[in-house]
Amino acid sequence: GAAGGGAAEPAWAGEPTVVATDRTDDVDRLVRNADHALATGRPAEAAALYDKALRLDPSAAAIQYGRGRALEAMGLRAEAAAAYQAALRLDPDHPGAVVGLAGLVAEEEPEVGLADLRRLRAGRPGDPWLAVRIGRLEAQRGQWEAAAAEFEMAATALPDHAAVAHNLAVARDRLGDVPAAIAGYEQVLSLPPATGVPLTLVRARLAALRGGTGGAAAGPAEAPGTAPVGAPTGAPATGQ
């Protein structure tokens, strides 16, 4: 309350500002921790942290988007789509959510989805995560030269992301460029782990290539480590 003989200050008078500041700090910390968990291969932990952040700030499109990325990395496609849609209801132009939702649709209908993603590129020509999604679709279609070009674009923008480096190494491997594939897999192993990159299989593939027994890279059914990995997870929740 006020000092002296003045009227006592209501108990709630200063609280909104203090609470808002504390809550903002809490949300920021949760989102930073969630981003880090997702980027280092712990999507379930990231999803739980994004959920906590959303309870404090349910109107944040960026947090809904981050939650969608985590769910997609966990293989929960329907839940991820719902999270991207929730982000778009809050911010209809959120670029990451637009690309994320389009990417999920594209994997169900590759030809239609690829055309949609290429249309999105017109407004986002340098987006590395859009390149990753297009590259994965090209790989799914067996168009490895086109896939390699997309992954190269992404790797130029994100040289320290293991999942991006892995996808480029896979494409070079499938194209029969053994020296480039070896260099690519070595780079993957030198970088911090990323969601979706099975390091044991990468090491086995690298050993086979070094020993001259690799042949063509195995397909997804035979060796998931030599197929492009899943959802892009390294971009911060504040947008792609």
Side-chain angles (χ1 to χ4, degrees), residues 15-55:
E15 289 180 3
T17 300
V18 174
V19 170
T21 300
D22 291 346
R23 178 166 294 188
T24 299
D25 291 344
D26 288 345
V27 170
D28 288 347
R29 184 178 67 254
L30 286 166
V31 171
R32 284 196 303 272
N33 290 341
D35 289 346
H36 180 69
L38 186 54
T40 53
R42 294 171 288 139
E45 180 182 337
L49 290 166
Y50 288 128
D51 282 338
K52 289 181 180 179
L54 280 169
R55 285 195 288 273

Side-chain angles (χ1 to χ4, degrees), residues 39-120:
T40 53
R42 294 171 288 139
E45 180 182 337
L49 290 166
Y50 288 128
D51 282 338
K52 289 181 180 179
L54 280 169
R55 285 195 288 273
L56 294 174
D57 188 1
S59 64
I63 301 173
Q64 283 284 9
Y65 162 64
R67 181 171 176 270
R69 291 186 299 121
L71 292 167
E72 188 177 354
M74 294 166 66
L76 301 174
R77 297 169 59 82
E79 293 86 345
Y84 292 144
Q85 289 166 342
L88 291 170
R89 284 194 294 272
L90 294 165
D91 177 4
D93 297 319
H94 189 281
V98 169
V99 172
L101 189 58
L104 287 175
V105 171
E107 292 188 9
E108 296 296 328
E109 301 180 67
E111 296 297 334
V112 174
L114 191 55
D116 289 343
L117 290 172
R118 284 173 174 155
R119 279 194 292 272
L120 283 175

Side-chain angles (χ1 to χ4, degrees), residues 57-208:
D57 188 1
S59 64
I63 301 173
Q64 283 284 9
Y65 162 64
R67 181 171 176 270
R69 291 186 299 121
L71 292 167
E72 188 177 354
M74 294 166 66
L76 301 174
R77 297 169 59 82
E79 293 86 345
Y84 292 144
Q85 289 166 342
L88 291 170
R89 284 194 294 272
L90 294 165
D91 177 4
D93 297 319
H94 189 281
V98 169
V99 172
L101 189 58
L104 287 175
V105 171
E107 292 188 9
E108 296 296 328
E109 301 180 67
E111 296 297 334
V112 174
L114 191 55
D116 289 343
L117 290 172
R118 284 173 174 155
R119 279 194 292 272
L120 283 175
R121 168 169 284 169
R124 310 180 68 192
D127 186 331
W129 297 116
L130 187 51
V132 168
R133 288 193 181 268
I134 292 173
R136 287 176 56 210
L137 287 172
E138 294 286 17
Q140 186 177 331
R141 299 168 65 235
Q143 301 300 313
W144 287 102
E145 288 188 9
E150 297 293 340
F151 295 146
E152 179 76 49
M153 182 187 306
T156 299
L158 299 166
D160 298 323
H161 197 286
V164 176
H166 176 268
N167 287 348
L168 180 57
V170 169
R172 288 171 169 167
D173 196 353
R174 292 298 295 259
L175 289 169
D177 189 344
V178 173
I182 288 174
Y185 290 132
E186 288 174 341
Q187 182 188 9
V188 172
L189 296 176
S190 75
L191 294 171
T195 299
V197 179
L199 296 178
T200 299
L201 292 171
V202 170
R203 291 188 186 98
R205 181 62 185 160
L206 182 56

